[in-house]
C-alpha cells in the first residue's frame, strides 16, 4: 500500500491531524453522491442508506454478503404460534455514540426500540410533531397499519404485536429504515429545540461514529472503540469521498486516493481488471432498471398508450449501448434470482408500427409533448441514464411524440417523482431483503403511492394478490399468489422492465474481507486494510 499517497489524501481531507501514528487502518471510499441526511427512516435511496450504514444497528441484520437474517441488537427472538407476536431479547451493555453536544448516560435498552418505531407509528408522537417527516419504506410495506403496538416487558425485552401475519416481517426490520435510534438523544434534541439534528448529527450504536459531513465533498467517521462486537471494527478512520463523475472515482482509485469505489462505467472494466494493484468483485445484480409511466397523467392513464410505449422500446439496443452487455434483458418486475419469479412471462415483441396503430386508436395526436425524466446519478441498475433517455427519446419520437428530457439533483428527482410531477421516468431498484414483497409490494402496491410507486398505479386485483401473499407463510402458496400478481402487472404495463445489470465493485488489493452485498449496500464492518 502506498502510504505516501494515502497520507496526502487524508491531509487534504483534514484527517491526518486526528489519525493515529500508523495509517494502515484508514480507508477512503469513493461514493457517488451526497446523502440528503442520516435519518434512515426518511429515505429509500442507496446513497442515503450507504452513508448511514456505518452508524447504526438494527434488531436483526443481514449477514455480510448474504440474505440470511442474524442477530443484531436482539440476541434472539420468538414468534407466537399464530404469527402475530414477535418477542425480541435485547443485547446488554451496548453503548450509544456521543458528540460534542450529547453524552449518553445509559446503555441501549427497550426504550430506544419503542422510540424508533413509535415515532413512525404515531402521527402525534412529540418528536414527530417537532420534526415532521414521512417514512416511505415503513408506509409502503404497510407496517404503519400492521404493527398494532410495540411494548417493553422489561428493559431488555420488546414485544411487537401485528394485526395480520407478515411473512416478511423479520426481513423488513433488518432494513436500514429500522435502524435503532437513541431515545435519550431524541429527548435531548427536543429539550434544546433541535429535533432536526437527528438527521444531520446522527447518534447510533454502530461500528463507526459520525464525525462530519460536507455536502458534495466528504463524510468522516471514526472507528467505534466501544462497539459491542469489537472484532468487527478494523478501521480507525473511514472517509466517504463524494464524486459524481465515475471517471474521477476511477482515477482516484488508481492513484490510491481511495481504496474502494462503485458503479464503474462498463467501458472501464477491462482496464480495471488488468490493473495488478486492483481487484474487481463481480456478481449477478439483484436489481432492475425500468421505465415508470405515470398512470395518473394523460395519456398514460390509458392501457393502450402504455402498451404502445412499451413495444416501441428497443431493449436490445439499450443493453448493448448503455450496459455494454454487462447485464441481461428484463421482462419481469423483479430479477430471475428472486424466488417466486414467473419464468412464463414474455415481453411483447418490439413493434413500432403496431405501437403507432395503438396510439392512433387511442386518439393520441401527433406532436403530443411529454417529459422523460433521466436520473442524474449512476446506479447499479442503470449505468448511464442520460444515454438511455436519449435512445428512448429517439424511439418515441418515431411514434410522433415530442419528448423533452428532464433531470434534477438526485434528492430533488426522487421527491418530485413521489409527488407525481413526471410523465415518464427512468428509475430502478436493488432488492433490500430477499423477499418478493420487497419488489411487488414495495414498488407497485397502492400503499406505495407517494413513496416508491413511481407509476402511481393502483390496481385492486393486483393489490389483493400481493396483500394475501404476505399473510401466508407457506412458500408454495406465496409463490402462486406472486406469480398471479406478476401476470397482472405485466398485462397492465405500469412499467417497462429494461435490464438487470451485473454488479462490478473495484477495490484495491490492499482491502481485505470486503463483501459485495446482494442488496447494494457498502458495509465496512469487518473490513480491513492490509
Amino acid at each position: 500500500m502506498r502510504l505516501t499517497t494515502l497520507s496526502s489524501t487524508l491531509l487534504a481531507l483534514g484527517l491526518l491531524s486526528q489519525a493515529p501514528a500508523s495509517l494502515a487502518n484508514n480507508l477512503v471510499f469513493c461514493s457517488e453522491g451526497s446523502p440528503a441526511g442520516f435519518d434512515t427512516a426518511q429515505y429509500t435511496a442507496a446513497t442515503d442508506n450507504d452513508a448511514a450504514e456505518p452508524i447504526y444497528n438494527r434488531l436483526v441484520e443481514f449477514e455480510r454478503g448474504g440474505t440470511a437474517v442474524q442477530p443484531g441488537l436482539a440476541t434472539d427472538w420468538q414468534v407466537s404460534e399464530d404469527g402475530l407476536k414477535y418477542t425480541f431479547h435485547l443485547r446488554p451493555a451496548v453503548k450509544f455514540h456521543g458528540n460534542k453536544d450529547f453524552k449518553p448516560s445509559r446503555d441501549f435498552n427497550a426504550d430506544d426500540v419503542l422510540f424508533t418505531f413509535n415515532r413512525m407509528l404515531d402521527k402525534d408522537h412529540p418528536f414527530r410533531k417537532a420534526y415532521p417527516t414521512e417514512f416511505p419504506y415503513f408506509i409502503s410495506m404497510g407496517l404503519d397499519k400492521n404493527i398494532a403496538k410495540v411494548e417493553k416487558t422489561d428493559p431488555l425485552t420488546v414485544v411487537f404485536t401485528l394485526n395480520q401475519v407478515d411473512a416478511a416481517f423479520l426481513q423488513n426490520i433488518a432494513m436500514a429504515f429500522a435502524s435503532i435510534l437513541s431515545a435519550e438523544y431524541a429527548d435531548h434534541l427536543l429539550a434544546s429545540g433541535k429535533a432536526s439534528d437527528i438527521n444531520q448529527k446522527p447518534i447510533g450504536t454502530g461500528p463507526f461514529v459520525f464525525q462530519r459531513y460536507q455536502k458534495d465533498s466528504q463524510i468522516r467517521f471514526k472507528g467505534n472503540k466501544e462497539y459491542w462486537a469489537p472484532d468487527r471494527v478494523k478501521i480507525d478512520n473511514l472517509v466517504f469521498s463524494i464524486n459524481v463523475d465515475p471517471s474521477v472515482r476511477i482515477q482516484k482509485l488508481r492513484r490510491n486516493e481511495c481504496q474502494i469505489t462503485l458503479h464503474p462505467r462498463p467501458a472501464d472494466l477491462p482496464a480495471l481488471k488488468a490493473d495488478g494493484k486492483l481487484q474487481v468483485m463481480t456478481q449477478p445484480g439483484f436489481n432492475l432498471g425500468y421505465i415508470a409511466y405515470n398512470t395518473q397523467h394523460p395519456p398514460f392513464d390509458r392501457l393502450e398508450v402504455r402498451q404502445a410505449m412499451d413495444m416501441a422500446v428497443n431493449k436490445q439496443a439499450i443493453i448493448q449501448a448503455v450496459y455494454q452487455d454487462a447485464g441481461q434483458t428484463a421482462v419481469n418486475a423483479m430479477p430471475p434470482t428472486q424466488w417466486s419469479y414467473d419464468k412464463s412471462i414474455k415481453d411483447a415483441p418490439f413493434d413500432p408500427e403496431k405501437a403507432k396503430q395503438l396510439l392512433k386508436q387511442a386518439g393520441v395526436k401527433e406532436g403530443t409533448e411529454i417529459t422523460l425524466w433521466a436520473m442524474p446519478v449512476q446506479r447499479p441498475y442503470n449505468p448511464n441514464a442520460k444515454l438511455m433517455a436519449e435512445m428512448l427519446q429517439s424511439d418515441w419520437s418515431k411514434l410522433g411524440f415530442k419528448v423533452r428530457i428532464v433531470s434534477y439533483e438526485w434528492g430533488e428527482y426522487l421527491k418530485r417523482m413521489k409527488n407525481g410531477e413526471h410523465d415518464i421516468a427512468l428509475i430502478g431498484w436493488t432488492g433490500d431483503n430477499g423477499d418478493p414483497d420487497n419488489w411487488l409490494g414495495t414498488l407497485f402496491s397502492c400503499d406505495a403511492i407517494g413513496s416508491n410507486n413511481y407509476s402511481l398505479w393502483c390496481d385492486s386485483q393486483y393489490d389483493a394478490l400481493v396483500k394475501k401473499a404476505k399473510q401466508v407463510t407457506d412458500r408454495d402458496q406465496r409463490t402462486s399468489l406472486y406469480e398471479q400478481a406478476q401476470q397482472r402487472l405485466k398485462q397492465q404495463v405500469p412499467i417497462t422492465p429494461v435490464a438487470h445489470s451485473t454488479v462490478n465493485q473495484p477495490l484495491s488489493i490492499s482491502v481485505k474481507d470486503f463483501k459485495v452485498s446482494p442488496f447494494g449496500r457498502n458495509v465496512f464492518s469487518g473490513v480491513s486494510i492490509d
Side-chain angles (χ1 to χ4, degrees):
M1 183 176 183
R2 293 176 293 173
L3 293 183
T4 302
T5 305
L6 184 54
S7 299
S8 62
T9 302
L10 292 170
L11 184 61
L13 292 171
L15 280 173
L16 197 58
S17 61
Q18 297 184 25
S22 169
L23 293 176
N25 292 323
N26 295 283
L27 188 146
V28 180
F29 169 59
C30 277
S31 65
E32 90 290 10
S34 295
F38 299 88
D39 179 9
T40 57
Q42 293 188 49
Y43 307 113
T44 60
T47 301
D48 304 310
N49 290 329
D50 253 5
E53 176 67 29
I55 304 166
Y56 297 112
N57 293 117
R58 274 74 63 191
L59 290 175
V60 294
E61 302 188 339
F62 295 109
E63 64 179 347
R64 289 198 310 125
T67 62
V69 171
Q70 61 186 17
L73 291 177
T75 55
D76 61 286
W77 54 90
Q78 292 86 40
V79 185
S80 62
E81 284 190 17
D82 62 7
L84 296 177
K85 285 195 174 183
Y86 287 73
T87 301
F88 293 93
H89 303 284
L90 306 183
R91 190 176 299 277
V94 173
K95 309 292 183 186
F96 273 103
H97 309 158
N99 58 33
K100 65 182 182 64
D101 300 314
F102 170 76
K103 303 299 178 190
S105 65
R106 62 165 177 80
D107 291 346
F108 156 74
N109 66 30
D111 291 333
D112 304 305
V113 180
L114 265 60
F115 167 74
T116 297
F117 285 91
N118 284 334
R119 178 179 69 128
M120 294 187 281
L121 285 168
D122 182 6
K123 292 184 178 180
D124 294 320
H125 192 282
F127 196 91
R128 185 166 174 177
K129 294 181 81 171
Y131 178 46
T133 188
E134 296 300 322
F135 306 105
Y137 236 140
F138 192 71
I139 292 169
S140 66
M141 292 188 293
L143 291 174
D144 58 324
K145 297 182 178 70
N146 199 31
I147 296 178
K149 56 185 175 180
V150 187
E151 303 169 290
K152 71 172 182 178
T153 55
D154 64 53
L156 291 177
T157 308
V158 175
V159 180
F160 286 73
T161 302
L162 308 184
N163 290 314
Q164 295 178 317
V165 172
D166 182 350
F169 183 70
L170 283 176
Q171 285 85 351
N172 288 343
I173 65 168
M175 291 161 55
F177 80 90
S179 296
I180 301 301
L181 306 174
S182 165
E184 186 183 19
Y185 183 47
D187 289 341
H188 165 79
L189 294 176
L190 272 182
S192 59
K194 297 179 178 178
S196 63
D197 278 1
I198 204 165
N199 191 32
Q200 299 300 327
K201 298 179 180 179
I203 294 289
T205 59
F208 295 92
V209 181
F210 175 81
Q211 296 291 287
R212 188 173 71 202
Y213 170 40
Q214 183 178 352
K215 188 176 180 180
D216 300 327
S217 176
Q218 62 165 295
I219 313 170
R220 283 178 44 183
F221 308 90
K222 69 176 181 180
N224 181 7
K225 301 305 182 185
E226 296 185 310
Y227 192 49
W228 51 269
D231 59 316
R232 297 187 201 172
V233 182
K234 300 178 180 180
I235 300 169
D236 293 318
N237 292 284
L238 172 64
V239 181
F240 279 39
S241 176
I242 300 168
N243 304 277
V244 176
D245 188 336
S247 62
V248 172
R249 296 197 298 270
I250 294 303
Q251 288 170 14
K252 289 192 171 187
L253 180 69
R254 285 179 167 150
R255 294 197 299 259
N256 201 34
E257 293 176 11
C258 64
Q259 290 72 54
I260 304 178
T261 187
L262 72 177
H263 311 330
R265 295 176 302 189
D268 290 331
L269 286 171
L272 290 171
K273 291 177 179 179
D275 191 327
K277 297 173 184 175
L278 303 177
Q279 53 184 317
V280 179
M281 304 177 78
T282 299
Q283 68 180 35
F286 192 56
N287 59 41
L288 169 69
Y290 63 93
I291 303 163
Y293 305 107
N294 186 341
T295 60
Q296 295 186 14
H297 272 202
F300 308 108
D301 55 344
R302 302 188 61 176
L303 173 59
E304 58 265 48
V305 175
R306 301 195 299 272
Q307 289 173 327
M309 307 302 283
D310 177 79
M311 66 178 61
V313 175
N314 191 338
K315 291 188 185 181
Q316 292 304 319
I318 289 173
I319 295 292
Q320 187 173 4
V322 175
Y323 296 84
Q324 299 186 18
D325 298 318
Q328 65 185 99
T329 302
V331 300
N332 209 341
M334 56 189 188
T337 49
Q338 173 65 65
W339 65 265
S340 82
Y341 180 90
D342 190 339
K343 296 178 181 177
S344 71
I345 290 178
K346 306 297 180 186
D347 263 341
F350 174 60
D351 194 339
E353 290 306 314
K354 185 176 180 181
K356 287 181 183 179
Q357 293 172 17
L358 284 173
L359 292 173
K360 186 175 181 180
Q361 291 168 15
V364 178
K365 295 180 180 179
E366 181 126 359
T368 296
E369 296 184 2
I370 60 174
T371 59
L372 169 59
W373 289 31
M375 300 181 303
V377 296
Q378 276 188 298
R379 306 302 316 147
Y381 49 75
N382 190 334
N384 193 336
K386 182 177 183 291
L387 176 57
M388 186 186 292
E390 290 168 349
M391 296 179 73
L392 291 171
Q393 183 183 46
S394 175
D395 288 341
W396 291 332
S397 294
K398 294 171 185 174
L399 302 182
F401 286 104
K402 288 186 177 179
V403 184
R404 180 167 61 91
I405 297 174
V406 174
S407 192
Y408 295 94
E409 180 273 330
W410 184 224
E412 189 72 11
Y413 184 89
L414 294 173
K415 179 183 175 182
R416 287 174 178 266
M417 278 204 306
K418 288 172 185 177
N419 292 337
E421 297 179 26
H422 58 292
D423 287 331
I424 305 175
L426 300 184
I427 193 62
W429 194 252
T430 297
D432 284 305
N433 64 22
D435 192 272
D437 181 71
N438 186 242
W439 300 91
L440 302 181
T442 299
L443 300 182
F444 309 114
S445 69
C446 298
D447 287 340
I449 291 176
S451 55
N452 299 306
N453 184 344
Y454 298 116
S455 297
L456 283 70
W457 178 67
C458 181
D459 182 87
S460 58
Q461 181 179 330
Y462 174 88
D463 225 47
L465 289 166
V466 171
K467 286 182 177 176
K468 187 175 180 182
K470 279 190 73 177
Q471 294 167 17
V472 295
T473 55
D474 181 82
R475 180 170 284 199
D476 290 340
Q477 291 181 46
R478 294 189 75 201
T479 294
S480 175
L481 291 164
Y482 284 131
E483 286 175 345
Q484 294 174 60
Q486 290 166 70
Q487 293 281 353
R488 178 66 178 174
L489 187 143
K490 191 68 174 178
Q491 292 164 6
Q492 293 299 305
V493 203
I495 68 165
T496 292
V498 177
H500 310 291
S501 74
T502 300
V503 173
N504 293 284
Q505 186 106 38
L507 59 160
S508 166
I509 58 171
S510 64
V511 177
K512 304 301 178 185
D513 206 28
F514 180 85
K515 298 184 182 297
V516 177
S517 164
F519 307 134
R521 298 288 178 259
N522 289 282
V523 179
F524 298 98
S525 170
V527 177
S528 63
I529 290 283
D530 185 358

